[in-house]
PDB file of all heavy atoms in Angstrom:
ATOM      1  N   GLY A 116      23.517  20.569 -35.558  1.00  0.00           N
ATOM      2  CA  GLY A 116      24.434  19.922 -36.526  1.00  0.00           C
ATOM      3  C   GLY A 116      25.273  18.859 -35.736  1.00  0.00           C
ATOM      4  O   GLY A 116      25.322  17.660 -36.135  1.00  0.00           O
ATOM      5  N   PHE A 117      25.826  19.281 -34.666  1.00  0.00           N
ATOM      6  CA  PHE A 117      26.652  18.337 -33.923  1.00  0.00           C
ATOM      7  C   PHE A 117      25.859  17.186 -33.427  1.00  0.00           C
ATOM      8  O   PHE A 117      26.215  16.021 -33.642  1.00  0.00           O
ATOM      9  CB  PHE A 117      27.219  19.140 -32.674  1.00  0.00           C
ATOM     10  CG  PHE A 117      27.929  18.323 -31.740  1.00  0.00           C
ATOM     11  CD1 PHE A 117      29.290  18.079 -31.888  1.00  0.00           C
ATOM     12  CD2 PHE A 117      27.286  17.747 -30.641  1.00  0.00           C
ATOM     13  CE1 PHE A 117      29.991  17.301 -31.025  1.00  0.00           C
ATOM     14  CE2 PHE A 117      28.005  16.961 -29.756  1.00  0.00           C
ATOM     15  CZ  PHE A 117      29.366  16.718 -29.911  1.00  0.00           C
ATOM     16  N   SER A 118      24.625  17.524 -32.845  1.00  0.00           N
ATOM     17  CA  SER A 118      23.800  16.377 -32.367  1.00  0.00           C
ATOM     18  C   SER A 118      23.392  15.398 -33.479  1.00  0.00           C
ATOM     19  O   SER A 118      23.409  14.188 -33.364  1.00  0.00           O
ATOM     20  CB  SER A 118      22.503  16.937 -31.697  1.00  0.00           C
ATOM     21  OG  SER A 118      22.847  17.928 -30.813  1.00  0.00           O
ATOM     22  N   ALA A 119      23.126  15.957 -34.645  1.00  0.00           N
ATOM     23  CA  ALA A 119      22.718  15.141 -35.760  1.00  0.00           C
ATOM     24  C   ALA A 119      23.860  14.212 -36.222  1.00  0.00           C
ATOM     25  O   ALA A 119      23.668  12.996 -36.315  1.00  0.00           O
ATOM     26  CB  ALA A 119      22.250  15.979 -36.970  1.00  0.00           C
ATOM     27  N   VAL A 120      25.064  14.728 -36.273  1.00  0.00           N
ATOM     28  CA  VAL A 120      26.218  13.900 -36.655  1.00  0.00           C
ATOM     29  C   VAL A 120      26.390  12.746 -35.628  1.00  0.00           C
ATOM     30  O   VAL A 120      26.583  11.595 -36.015  1.00  0.00           O
ATOM     31  CB  VAL A 120      27.462  14.738 -36.819  1.00  0.00           C
ATOM     32  CG1 VAL A 120      28.711  13.817 -36.988  1.00  0.00           C
ATOM     33  CG2 VAL A 120      27.362  15.718 -37.982  1.00  0.00           C
ATOM     34  N   VAL A 121      26.308  13.128 -34.339  1.00  0.00           N
ATOM     35  CA  VAL A 121      26.488  12.121 -33.301  1.00  0.00           C
ATOM     36  C   VAL A 121      25.440  11.068 -33.360  1.00  0.00           C
ATOM     37  O   VAL A 121      25.606   9.869 -33.406  1.00  0.00           O
ATOM     38  CB  VAL A 121      26.471  12.763 -31.883  1.00  0.00           C
ATOM     39  CG1 VAL A 121      26.375  11.683 -30.829  1.00  0.00           C
ATOM     40  CG2 VAL A 121      27.685  13.630 -31.680  1.00  0.00           C
ATOM     41  N   VAL A 122      24.174  11.518 -33.501  1.00  0.00           N
ATOM     42  CA  VAL A 122      23.007  10.515 -33.556  1.00  0.00           C
ATOM     43  C   VAL A 122      23.130   9.609 -34.833  1.00  0.00           C
ATOM     44  O   VAL A 122      22.911   8.418 -34.734  1.00  0.00           O
ATOM     45  CB  VAL A 122      21.662  11.256 -33.504  1.00  0.00           C
ATOM     46  CG1 VAL A 122      20.554  10.312 -33.846  1.00  0.00           C
ATOM     47  CG2 VAL A 122      21.471  11.883 -32.117  1.00  0.00           C
ATOM     48  N   ILE A 123      23.453  10.237 -35.915  1.00  0.00           N
ATOM     49  CA  ILE A 123      23.565   9.381 -37.156  1.00  0.00           C
ATOM     50  C   ILE A 123      24.725   8.425 -37.021  1.00  0.00           C
ATOM     51  O   ILE A 123      24.590   7.242 -37.344  1.00  0.00           O
ATOM     52  CB  ILE A 123      23.853  10.349 -38.409  1.00  0.00           C
ATOM     53  CG1 ILE A 123      22.577  11.108 -38.692  1.00  0.00           C
ATOM     54  CG2 ILE A 123      24.231   9.490 -39.633  1.00  0.00           C
ATOM     55  CD1 ILE A 123      22.756  12.201 -39.709  1.00  0.00           C
ATOM     56  N   THR A 124      25.905   8.878 -36.470  1.00  0.00           N
ATOM     57  CA  THR A 124      26.952   7.943 -36.312  1.00  0.00           C
ATOM     58  C   THR A 124      26.575   6.765 -35.414  1.00  0.00           C
ATOM     59  O   THR A 124      26.842   5.555 -35.743  1.00  0.00           O
ATOM     60  CB  THR A 124      28.157   8.652 -35.625  1.00  0.00           C
ATOM     61  OG1 THR A 124      28.497   9.800 -36.379  1.00  0.00           O
ATOM     62  CG2 THR A 124      29.362   7.811 -35.502  1.00  0.00           C
ATOM     63  N   LEU A 125      25.840   7.059 -34.344  1.00  0.00           N
ATOM     64  CA  LEU A 125      25.483   6.032 -33.427  1.00  0.00           C
ATOM     65  C   LEU A 125      24.444   5.189 -34.057  1.00  0.00           C
ATOM     66  O   LEU A 125      24.417   3.978 -33.900  1.00  0.00           O
ATOM     67  CB  LEU A 125      24.953   6.640 -32.150  1.00  0.00           C
ATOM     68  CG  LEU A 125      26.061   7.264 -31.270  1.00  0.00           C
ATOM     69  CD1 LEU A 125      25.433   7.978 -30.061  1.00  0.00           C
ATOM     70  CD2 LEU A 125      26.996   6.197 -30.706  1.00  0.00           C
ATOM     71  N   ALA A 126      23.532   5.802 -34.840  1.00  0.00           N
ATOM     72  CA  ALA A 126      22.450   5.028 -35.450  1.00  0.00           C
ATOM     73  C   ALA A 126      23.075   3.989 -36.431  1.00  0.00           C
ATOM     74  O   ALA A 126      22.661   2.884 -36.490  1.00  0.00           O
ATOM     75  CB  ALA A 126      21.482   5.927 -36.199  1.00  0.00           C
ATOM     76  N   LEU A 127      24.093   4.436 -37.192  1.00  0.00           N
ATOM     77  CA  LEU A 127      24.722   3.544 -38.126  1.00  0.00           C
ATOM     78  C   LEU A 127      25.374   2.349 -37.312  1.00  0.00           C
ATOM     79  O   LEU A 127      25.168   1.178 -37.696  1.00  0.00           O
ATOM     80  CB  LEU A 127      25.795   4.229 -38.925  1.00  0.00           C
ATOM     81  CG  LEU A 127      25.281   5.243 -39.989  1.00  0.00           C
ATOM     82  CD1 LEU A 127      26.403   5.974 -40.593  1.00  0.00           C
ATOM     83  CD2 LEU A 127      24.471   4.464 -41.026  1.00  0.00           C
ATOM     84  N   GLY A 128      26.074   2.692 -36.280  1.00  0.00           N
ATOM     85  CA  GLY A 128      26.727   1.643 -35.509  1.00  0.00           C
ATOM     86  C   GLY A 128      25.735   0.667 -34.857  1.00  0.00           C
ATOM     87  O   GLY A 128      25.870  -0.503 -35.042  1.00  0.00           O
TER      88      GLY A 128
END
Side-chain angles (χ1 to χ4, degrees):
Chain A
F117 175 86
S118 309
V120 171
V121 169
V122 168
I123 290 171
T124 305
L125 290 173
L127 288 175

